[in-house]
Structure formats: structure tokens, C-alpha cells
């Protein structure tokens, strides 16, 4: 076992200076996570002053899930480690696989308590990495998929670490038996209807008998793929992948392979799962051939790419709904518009909307284009302000009576501005992140 390498990975990720952080151990009650828990409990002195804390996610998908949580509580008590039990609804949505639903619910629960600098430690090992590589290759994934699971990645305000990633499953089994560990067995792990279980139970034993070093070899392949993908990510960043929007001219100036790499990198930077090769090619074609009078739109799961004025924009899919009617806003407190953004007002002299127009206490009515009136005049004003078409109905419009005072994010209208030396309210608009 490469225990030293796993411990070094954790130490490197811990912050230097500042207050202690929490190392949160994902503990299912199964053998692998029990090995991780037991091993880390023995490293408390080496990891001090940082805290160890176990987290068990109860999915509620098996009749014995409550008993498993009780088992985890007993093991943690014996080791002197605190345990948090998080219960989730892991039932799959329509069209979603049971595996994907459980994974999404589990990681959401594990992320819920993370604080800045905290580490989430999971028990993924070398054989898990082998399975992940093979599943990716069978799907036809590129380098990012073949790179499989990184040993460390960002996770909320902290980090997710896999300190056992170079431990073969056989080593974990030997450790568990040597320390007389007791664990629970989830019967679903033997259900060969699930792809990963089929690989683990039917395919990999055959491969291992003929190629005993296959698991280690595929893990090395993942490391090589990760290194190569890192170089492609650097190239994409140099080509502009970190920008909020992409210029079509910038994309068109590149060879086709770099165009695809830039699009993949841009989507990845902004948290969009990699699209299929066919979907990516559709996006590339639309970007390069869209006429100036067109507004191409390509949905990608929970996001969409929209092309406007020669640039690619990412938006949520679908766009969050705006309030159904006007919203009264008293300017002495911020106004949160869920999925839309946040409005704040700062009092000053000779700045913003003239206080004399707003009454006492100062109030405005926030409307959206659907109920603001104004017709073509307002439409032309928003066009002149270069507001993207899909945002025009979502941009807050500040009214007092029938008078439009200001469009959020823009200067107040001339007739509404505070004169020099006169009190006014400067409006600060923060659009919601996509």
C-alpha cells in the first residue's frame, strides 16, 4: 500500500496557517470506506490540529439502510470519531438511472456542510479507477473521460481527495482482515444489471486472470490521459476558454481540431458536462455559419449556448422565470430576485436616481418587460443598450408610477438623475450567475 503517498496528498491539500479545517470522511459502512476511516483514525496525531469527521449518507433505497446507519454510528463511536448522518431522497427522476440519481444525491449531501478549506475524503481505489477508465472507453469518451478520477479536485469551498487511489482492492481487503474490521454489504453491489457491477463481477476477473497487471496498467493510462488533457486545457485557456463569452471570429481563426478543443474547454470551465461529439459538431457548425440576423440556440442539458452579435453566450436552460407582476422595493434593504439577480441601493450626493422622486421612505416599483409597457420605445432602448434578446424580458426596470427611472445595470434616465449636490440613490445590479 502507498500509505505515505495518500498521507502526503492530504497534507499537501491542507491549508498552511489559519484556523484548523475539517477532514470529512465519506463513510458508507462498506469495506473500502471502513478501511479509509480506520486508517485515518490512526493518523490523527499526524493531521492535528485539523479535525476528522465521518459523514454517512442514507439513501433510503434499501430496507436495511437504517441498520447500516446504526452500524456506522457504532464504528465511529468505537474509534472516537464524530459522525454526521445525512438522509436524502435518491429516487431517480424520469429518464435518470438509479446509479446517477444516487450519486447526485450523495454528493449534494456531502457538499452541504463543507466550509472553506475543508477536505472531503473518499475511498475510491485503483480497481475503481480501472472500472471508470473502461466505462469511459466503452462510451467512446475522449481524454477527459479516459483520465477518469483525479486524486484531487475542487469540491464546493474545499477539496475532494482520493488518498487510496493507487491502492489495489486486494490491499484494502488484506488491511480489513488484518485489523478485523466489520462492514456492511450492500446487495445492490452484486446486481449485474448495473454497468459497473457487471464490469467488476464478470469482465475484470477474466481480464485479471490473463493480464494480472491490467488494473495497474489502466490506472497508469488514466494518469497519462490526465496529463495530456491538462495540456489541452492549457491550450484551450490560451485560445480563450476562460472568457465568459466566446467570439466567433476567435473560434474561426483556429484549425478545426483546436476549435473543438476550445469549445470543450470553454464548456468545461463553465461547468457544462462534455457534450457528445455530434452535439459539439452541431455547436461548431452553428457558430461558424450563423448569419447576423439569426439567433442560434443549442440546449445542452441544464445549459444552453446562444449566439448573438458574433459571440457565444451560456445561459441556464430553461431560463428562470421572472416575477408574475410588479415588485415593490423599499430602497433601504436589498431586493433578491431568485434566479434573476440582486438589487441594492447606495445613498450619495449627485449620484443615481434623485431622492426627491422616490418619496419617504424611498420606494420604486420593479417591473419586467412583460408588464412594463413601453412597447417599441422600450424595445429600441434595450436594443440600443446592447442587452441580449433573451435578457430583455429579465432585466429589472425601475418605475415610479408610470415613469421609467432606470434600467438595472444602466445609468438612470436623464430626467431621473440626481443633480450635483442633491441626494440620490445609486442602484447596484448583480445578475444571477448562470
Amino acid at each position: 500500500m502507498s500509505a505515505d503517498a495518500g498521507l502526503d496528498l492530504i497534507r499537501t491539500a491542507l491549508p498552511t496557517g489559519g484556523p484548523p479545517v475539517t477532514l470529512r470522511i465519506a463513510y458508507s459502512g462498506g469495506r473500502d470506506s471502513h478501511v479509509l476511516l480506520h486508517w485515518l483514525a490512526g493518523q490523527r496525531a499526524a493531521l492535528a490540529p485539523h479535525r476528522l469527521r465521518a459523514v454517512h449518507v442514507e439513501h433510503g433505497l434499501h430496507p436495511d439502510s437504517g441498520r447500516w446507519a446504526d452500524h456506522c454510528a457504532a464504528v465511529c463511536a468505537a474509534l472516537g470519531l464524530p459522525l454526521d448522518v445525512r438522509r436524502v431522497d435518491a429516487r431517480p427522476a424520469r429518464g435518470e438511472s438509479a446509479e446517477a440519481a444516487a450519486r447526485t444525491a450523495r454528493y449534494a449531501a456531502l457538499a452541504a456542510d463543507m466550509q472553506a478549506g475543508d477536505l472531503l475524503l473518499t475511498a475510491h481505489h485503483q480497481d475503481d479507477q480501472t472500472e471508470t477508465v473502461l466505462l469511459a472507453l466503452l462510451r467512446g469518451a475522449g481524454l477527459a473521460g479516459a483520465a477518469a478520477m483525479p486524486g484531487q479536485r475542487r469540491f464546493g469551498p474545499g477539496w475532494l481527495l482520493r488518498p487510496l487511489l493507487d491502492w489495489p482492492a486486494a490491499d484494502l481487503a488484506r488491511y480489513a482482515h488484518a485489523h478485523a474490521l466489520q462492514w456492511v454489504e450492500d446487495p445492490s453491489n452484486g446486481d449485474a444489471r448495473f454497468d459497473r457491477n457487471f464490469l467488476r463481477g464478470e469482465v475484470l476477473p477474466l481480464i485479471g486472470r490473463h493480464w494480472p497487471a491490467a488494473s495497474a496498467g489502466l490506472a497508469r493510462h488514466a494518469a497519462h490521459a490526465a496529463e495530456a488533457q491538462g495540456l489541452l486545457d492549457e491550450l484551450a485557456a490560451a485560445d480563450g476558454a476562460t472568457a465568459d463569452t466566446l467570439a466567433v471570429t476567435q473560434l474561426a481563426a483556429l484549425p478545426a481540431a483546436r476549435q473543438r478543443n476550445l469549445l470543450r474547454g470553454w464548456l468545461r470551465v463553465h461547468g457544462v458536462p462534455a457534450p457528445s461529439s455530434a452535439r459539439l459538431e452541431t455547436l461548431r457548425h452553428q457558430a461558424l455559419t450563423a448569419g447576423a440576423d439569426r439567433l442560434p440556440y443549442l440546449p445542452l442539458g441544464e445549459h444552453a449556448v446562444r449566439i448573438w452579435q458574433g459571440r457565444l453566450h451560456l445561459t441556464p436552460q430553461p431560463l428562470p422565470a421572472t416575477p408574475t407582476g410588479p415588485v415593490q422595493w423599499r430602497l433601504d434593504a436589498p431586493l433578491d430576485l431568485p434566479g434573476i439577480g440582486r438589487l441594492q441601493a447606495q445613498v450619495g450626493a449627485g449620484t443615481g436616481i434623485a431622492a426627491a422622486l422616490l418619496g419617504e421612505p424611498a420606494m420604486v416599483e420593479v417591473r419586467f418587460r412583460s408588464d412594463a409597457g413601453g412597447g417599441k420605445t422600450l424595445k429600441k432602448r434595450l436594443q440600443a443598450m446592447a442587452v441580449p434578446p433573451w435578457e430583455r424580458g429579465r432585466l429589472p426596470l425601475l418605475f415610479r408610477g408610470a415613469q421609467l427611472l432606470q434600467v438595472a445595470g444602466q445609468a438612470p434616465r436623464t430626467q431621473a438623475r440626481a443633480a450635483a449636490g442633491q441626494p440620490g440613490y445609486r442602484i447596484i445590479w448583480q445578475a444571477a450567475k448562470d
Side-chain angles (χ1 to χ4, degrees), residues 139-201:
R139 288 196 309 268
L143 280 175
M149 297 181 289
Q152 176 178 347
R153 69 170 175 86
R154 273 285 178 190
F155 187 69
W159 294 90
L160 186 155
L161 270 64
R162 299 180 173 100
L164 309 185
L165 204 52
D166 64 345
W167 294 25
D171 283 0
L172 271 76
R174 281 190 284 272
Y175 182 102
H177 288 294
H179 293 86
L181 303 185
Q182 301 293 317
W183 60 88
V184 298
E185 295 283 359
D186 183 346
S188 69
N189 289 337
D191 189 343
R193 291 175 299 173
F194 298 122
D195 292 345
R196 187 176 289 271
N197 292 346
F198 178 74
L199 271 182
R200 183 181 303 143

Side-chain angles (χ1 to χ4, degrees), residues 182-423:
Q182 301 293 317
W183 60 88
V184 298
E185 295 283 359
D186 183 346
S188 69
N189 289 337
D191 189 343
R193 291 175 299 173
F194 298 122
D195 292 345
R196 187 176 289 271
N197 292 346
F198 178 74
L199 271 182
R200 183 181 303 143
E202 304 290 335
V203 178
L204 288 175
L206 288 174
I207 293 175
R209 282 198 290 272
H210 192 80
W211 293 284
S215 183
L218 286 168
R220 284 196 302 276
H221 170 76
H224 295 323
E227 186 174 89
Q229 182 60 50
L231 294 174
L232 289 178
D233 289 344
E234 289 181 12
L235 179 62
D239 286 340
T242 58
D244 288 339
T245 63
L246 275 184
V248 171
T249 53
Q250 183 180 358
L251 186 70
L254 300 172
R258 279 178 70 175
Q259 290 173 356
R260 288 188 284 270
N261 186 59
L262 173 55
L263 289 170
R264 287 192 198 97
W266 180 62
L267 293 172
R268 188 180 303 115
V269 163
H270 294 287
V272 182
S276 67
S277 297
R279 203 70 171 152
L280 188 75
E281 195 59 24
T282 297
L283 173 59
R284 188 175 78 92
H285 176 76
Q286 288 191 356
L288 297 176
T289 62
D293 58 340
R294 301 285 303 280
L295 187 63
Y297 161 80
L298 185 70
L300 297 172
E302 296 180 355
H303 298 80
V305 177
R306 301 170 190 265
I307 305 171
W308 179 66
Q309 290 194 346
R311 301 195 73 86
L312 280 69
H313 301 254
L314 267 175
T315 67
Q317 166 61 27
L319 291 169
T322 58
T324 55
V327 178
Q328 302 300 320
W329 177 32
R330 182 167 159 168
L331 272 61
D332 57 2
L335 177 65
D336 288 310
L337 299 163
I340 308 297
R342 191 173 206 247
L343 288 163
Q344 282 183 280
Q346 288 184 347
V347 180
T351 183
I353 301 172
L357 297 175
L358 304 179
E360 184 62 40
M363 294 189 69
V364 296
E365 189 172 81
V366 179
R367 303 181 194 171
F368 294 86
R369 187 178 167 193
S370 60
D371 56 16
K376 293 182 178 180
T377 301
L378 179 56
K379 178 180 178 180
K380 289 180 179 179
R381 184 176 294 122
L382 293 174
Q383 287 175 336
M385 290 161 48
V387 177
W390 60 90
E391 289 292 345
R392 291 171 192 166
R394 296 162 42 78
L395 201 58
L397 309 173
L398 277 56
F399 278 80
R400 184 73 179 187
Q403 182 183 6
L404 173 62
L405 305 175
Q406 183 174 350
V407 177
Q410 305 295 320
R413 298 185 69 188
T414 303
Q415 61 268 39
R417 293 177 189 170
Q422 297 299 309

Side-chain angles (χ1 to χ4, degrees), residues 57-101:
V57 179
E58 185 180 340
H59 299 85
L61 298 176
H62 191 275
D64 288 334
S65 61
R67 182 176 61 83
W68 298 341
D70 293 341
H71 168 83
C72 292
V75 169
C76 288
L79 292 172
L81 292 175
L83 171 71
D84 297 319
V85 177
R86 298 288 177 255
R87 293 173 174 84
V88 300
D89 181 357
R91 290 172 296 181
R94 187 183 183 92
E96 185 180 25
S97 74
E99 292 170 289

